[in-house]
Amino acid sequence: MPAATPPEVDDVDRAIVAALVADGRTSFTDLGRQVGLPTSTVHQRVRRLEQRGVLKGYTAVVDHEALGLPLSAIVSVTPFDPAAPDDVPERLARVAEVESCWSVAGEESYVLLVRTATPGRLEEVLAEIRTTGSVATRTTVILSTPFEGRPPSRS
């Protein structure tokens, strides 16, 4: 059985998605102005994008420094025992400082985004990750974020 093809997303849909990525609180009226369509048409298109799962939700953009979490790190994890059940995400879900967990291909099994207040706290969190997850870690501290959350490309 051939793989199902995803529903077509045209250039107007992409422009709507890009505008919502830039500002998820943009009104339908402003979206209409940006993409050159009536408000009612934009509203229908956004609803269809939501129903088709292209738009999965709307989030707030957080200034982590203002929240007292200025230190961010990418932590790659590799299970000590590759034959053990793969329940690393479930075990690490309770570590509050782990903001994101991605399953990846390559030497590591997962990559985590960790945010903490201090280098000392990062060290404690890494020890907790290793113990709780039964994993080895490799850590890269993020110095700055020139950009993130860009709208998807056309290709």
Side-chain angles (χ1 to χ4, degrees):
M1 179 172 169
T5 57
E8 190 63 35
V9 176
D10 64 18
D11 288 342
V12 174
D13 288 340
R14 289 181 194 286
I16 291 170
V17 168
L20 288 172
V21 167
D23 181 2
R25 295 180 59 163
T26 300
S27 70
F28 292 124
T29 302
D30 288 340
L31 276 174
R33 279 191 211 114
Q34 290 178 43
V35 300
L37 291 175
T39 302
S40 60
T41 303
V42 169
H43 185 261
Q44 290 172 350
R45 280 182 172 256
V46 169
R47 290 283 178 249
R48 270 190 276 133
L49 289 166
E50 290 170 344
Q51 290 168 350
R52 292 170 29 207
V54 175
L55 293 173
K56 294 184 175 209
Y58 303 85
T59 62
V61 178
V62 176
D63 180 343
H64 292 91
E65 277 194 48
L67 289 177
L69 300 170
L71 184 59
S72 300
I74 301 295
V75 180
S76 300
V77 300
T78 306
F80 288 133
D81 181 4
D86 187 5
D87 60 350
V88 170
E90 291 80 12
R91 286 188 272 140
L92 295 180
R94 67 180 184 211
V95 180
E97 292 83 357
V98 176
E99 181 178 303
S100 300
C101 175
W102 300 283
S103 175
V104 297
E107 289 184 37
E108 293 87 6
S109 297
Y110 295 93
V111 174
L112 313 173
L113 174 59
V114 174
R115 296 192 193 271
T116 66
T118 65
R121 181 61 189 143
L122 176 59
E123 194 170 19
E124 293 168 359
V125 170
L126 292 172
E128 184 178 358
I129 289 169
R130 286 190 291 269
T131 303
T132 303
S134 295
V135 295
T137 62
R138 186 173 54 95
T139 303
T140 303
V141 172
I142 298 170
L143 299 177
S144 69
T145 305
F147 60 85
E148 70 180 340
R150 292 166 49 167
S153 68
R154 297 183 126 197
S155 53

